[in-house]
Amino acid sequence: MTETAREQEQLFPEMGPSFREFIEASPSVMLLIAPETGAIVRANEAAAVFYGYSRERLERMRISEINTLTPEEILREMDKARANRKSFFRFSHRLASGELRSVHVYSSPVQVEGERLLCSIVQDVTDLKSDEDRAERRRLEDHLARSVALLGAAIESVAEGIIVVDLEGRVLIYNANFERFWNTTPGWSAAFGPEERLAFLSRLAEDREEFVKLIQTVRNRPDMERSGTVHLADGRIMEFESRPFRAEETILGRIWSVRDVTEREEARKALETSLREKELLLREIHHRVKNNLQTVASLLSLHLGTTANPKVKEALMESRGRVQSMALIHEKIYRSRDVSAVNLGEYVADVVRSVAGAFGLPSQTVTLDIEAEPLPLDIDRAVPCGLVLNELVTNVYKHAFPQGQEGTLFVRIAADREGFAQITIADDGVGLPEGFDPRALHSLGITVVAALVEQIGGTLHFSSGPQEKGTTVHISFPLGDGRNGKTSVQAV
């Protein structure tokens, strides 16, 4: 036998032949109901008398024709009874005459001759309801008194200020910390009615209207839970939580807990102020570094005008370009809202245009085609990335379009699904020489590029050939912290 079958046997115990005789002889109203459909399988004589239908008619009906709940609600309640999660119910049943009667129903699962049913015993409590309501209210009031007494012993040991009020706003209990936080005097609550008490407490709040609005909102919505902060007139800040106070399923009042968070809020504000000051200082540092680098670039430009040696001029131009690419990073950060990262797309576009301007070629000679996503990049990777781009774009202007040849420089920047930045720099110029192998070169530019790509944990790939026009360089590196060792440098 499976576990499910055993569970079903336990939920639906088998009733012997005498069970039907018991139902027939019972003076109580009893119904056997199929839980899946709500069909009344058997009704005893007491049920026929109570409902005003013949037994034959009752046993052709569904319980939804008697119970005033919707069919869906009835099925949900029967599911609870079938699973033994609930056995006592309060319903309103309709008689054959149309009269509605308040009933208590005790329902439990049984198995009769292999059929799984619900055995329901129905008790008419219409005439007893008013007495029962009064008794229920007394029971709840007794329960409330006991709960408040237990609560009183507990709330004095907590650090928060606690106050408990009933639905009419009467104070049931509060602890010493509540008096201390609100600067009240012992016995203050007994001296005022609910509205006077609210007015008294509101005078302690910095914004009285907002405080009264808060209290009235939760008073009108007893089931509401609220939390937040209240600023007091003396400068202190109280954090509060307010939630319903229940006895079983009935809401009897509301519990408020408050704690003094003035020091915490002051510390938070001080920290925010300190962070803003440090951010301003950091921006000023970036600004000064940028100015110093610009000074160095200007000095290199002055040296360019003092030499006629082509190799020296080339070296000075390359050095100036590298310095300017670093200065551009610090300028971007200085002007950015976020001092911890730069927009890679904007930065790359500026680096490319800066290198293009340095060579002084007409815009129609080399056309720029840039498509760059706005990827955030921290400064630890932005500086080497900018230097790499400076070297590669410089190489394009130096070697791809000799003797004023026209062409296009393509720059593409995007992020893939794995969180890697993908940068492609391509041209439609003369291309790489046959048999080109970057690993066999001793060029300073290629060495610098490979070292910097390794620093940011990336890969470097060169491609050129008969099927491709010009040269393509592809760089891939993680946007997160992915510095992980040697760089793969490949040529195809």
Side-chain angles (χ1 to χ4, degrees), residues 43-63:
N44 66 357
E45 187 61 31
V49 171
F50 174 65
Y51 289 111
Y53 295 105
S54 67
R55 292 179 62 183
E56 292 75 14
R57 173 70 187 281
L58 274 174
E59 291 172 358
R60 293 196 304 271
M61 296 171 67
R62 295 180 184 273
I63 193 62

Side-chain angles (χ1 to χ4, degrees), residues 47-179:
V49 171
F50 174 65
Y51 289 111
Y53 295 105
S54 67
R55 292 179 62 183
E56 292 75 14
R57 173 70 187 281
L58 274 174
E59 291 172 358
R60 293 196 304 271
M61 296 171 67
R62 295 180 184 273
I63 193 62
S64 57
E65 297 176 64
I66 293 174
N67 197 314
T68 58
L69 295 179
T70 65
E72 293 77 14
E73 290 171 329
I74 292 170
L75 286 175
R76 282 198 295 270
E77 295 299 290
M78 286 195 297
D79 282 341
K80 295 176 186 176
R82 179 169 54 176
N84 258 338
R85 296 198 305 272
K86 189 175 180 181
S87 59
F88 172 70
F89 303 86
R90 291 184 176 93
F91 294 133
S92 179
H93 280 190
R94 181 178 289 105
L95 308 185
S97 64
E99 181 185 357
L100 296 179
R101 305 290 289 181
S102 297
V103 296
H104 288 176
V105 178
Y106 301 85
S107 190
S108 59
V110 296
Q111 194 168 176
V112 180
E113 297 175 359
E115 188 175 8
R116 292 168 180 167
L117 304 170
L118 291 177
C119 178
S120 296
I121 302 173
V122 181
Q123 180 184 7
D124 182 9
V125 295
T126 307
D127 299 330
L128 301 175
K129 192 172 184 184
S130 58
D131 292 337
E132 183 186 84
D133 286 346
R134 285 193 291 271
E136 177 71 5
R137 183 171 182 83
R138 283 196 300 272
R139 186 183 70 82
L140 289 174
E141 288 175 348
D142 290 342
H143 184 92
L144 174 60
R146 290 195 302 272
S147 299
V148 168
L150 291 171
L151 186 61
I155 64 175
E156 287 299 336
S157 64
V158 300
E160 290 85 0
I162 305 290
I163 185 169
V164 183
V165 297
D166 64 14
L167 294 177
E168 283 74 40
R170 293 188 296 265
V171 173
L172 300 176
I173 194 171
Y174 57 89
N175 66 356
N177 278 336
F178 183 85
E179 288 185 334

Side-chain angles (χ1 to χ4, degrees), residues 145-392:
R146 290 195 302 272
S147 299
V148 168
L150 291 171
L151 186 61
I155 64 175
E156 287 299 336
S157 64
V158 300
E160 290 85 0
I162 305 290
I163 185 169
V164 183
V165 297
D166 64 14
L167 294 177
E168 283 74 40
R170 293 188 296 265
V171 173
L172 300 176
I173 194 171
Y174 57 89
N175 66 356
N177 278 336
F178 183 85
E179 288 185 334
R180 181 169 61 85
F181 290 157
W182 286 85
N183 289 334
T184 60
T185 55
W188 66 275
S189 66
F192 302 111
E195 298 306 319
E196 294 170 317
R197 192 178 303 116
L198 175 58
F200 173 80
L201 292 177
S202 69
R203 285 198 295 271
L204 303 175
E206 183 178 75
D207 189 335
R208 297 185 183 184
E209 291 184 5
E210 191 65 27
F211 181 79
V212 170
K213 182 180 177 182
L214 166 67
I215 300 299
Q216 290 174 341
T217 298
V218 295
R219 184 180 291 177
N220 295 334
R221 289 277 308 279
D223 60 334
M224 175 185 285
E225 294 189 4
R226 285 290 297 269
S227 62
T229 56
V230 173
H231 291 253
L232 300 187
D234 62 8
R236 290 178 300 142
I237 302 171
M238 295 294 161
E239 187 176 66
F240 73 86
E241 291 181 12
S242 177
R243 54 192 179 277
F245 174 41
R246 289 182 169 88
E248 298 178 356
E249 297 296 321
T250 304
I251 296 176
L252 300 177
R254 179 165 290 275
I255 298 178
W256 293 78
S257 64
V258 296
R259 61 186 66 86
D260 190 338
V261 294
T262 308
E263 291 184 2
R264 188 189 74 186
E265 290 299 302
E266 289 176 348
R268 181 183 62 80
K269 289 179 181 178
L271 179 60
E272 289 177 352
T273 301
S274 176
L275 287 174
R276 283 195 297 269
E277 291 172 352
K278 286 179 172 57
E279 184 177 315
L280 289 173
L281 179 60
L282 191 56
R283 287 184 189 279
E284 181 60 25
I285 290 171
H286 282 296
H287 184 53
R288 294 192 180 192
V289 170
K290 185 265 295 185
N291 288 343
N292 290 337
L293 290 171
Q294 290 286 26
T295 301
V296 174
S298 298
L299 290 172
L300 291 171
S301 296
L302 288 174
H303 280 293
L304 271 170
T306 63
T307 181
N309 188 318
K311 289 188 177 295
V312 173
K313 280 196 171 190
E314 181 180 323
L316 288 172
M317 281 186 63
E318 290 178 356
S319 297
R320 184 183 64 182
R322 292 163 186 158
V323 171
Q324 286 176 334
S325 72
M326 290 188 288
L328 192 57
I329 281 284
H330 293 282
E331 182 177 7
K332 284 287 181 186
I333 292 176
Y334 169 69
R335 299 185 183 279
S336 171
R337 294 177 61 184
D338 183 1
V339 295
S340 64
V342 296
N343 183 321
L344 181 58
E346 289 182 0
Y347 173 59
V348 168
D350 288 345
V351 168
V352 172
R353 292 188 180 98
S354 174
V355 174
F359 278 85
L361 296 176
S363 58
Q364 62 268 24
T365 303
V366 179
T367 303
L368 299 181
D369 186 344
I370 302 173
E371 292 181 10
E373 293 183 6
L375 306 178
L377 192 66
D378 62 82
I379 191 170
D380 288 341
R381 266 163 293 203
V383 170
C385 184
L387 290 170
V388 166
L389 290 166
N390 178 78
E391 294 294 331
L392 295 174

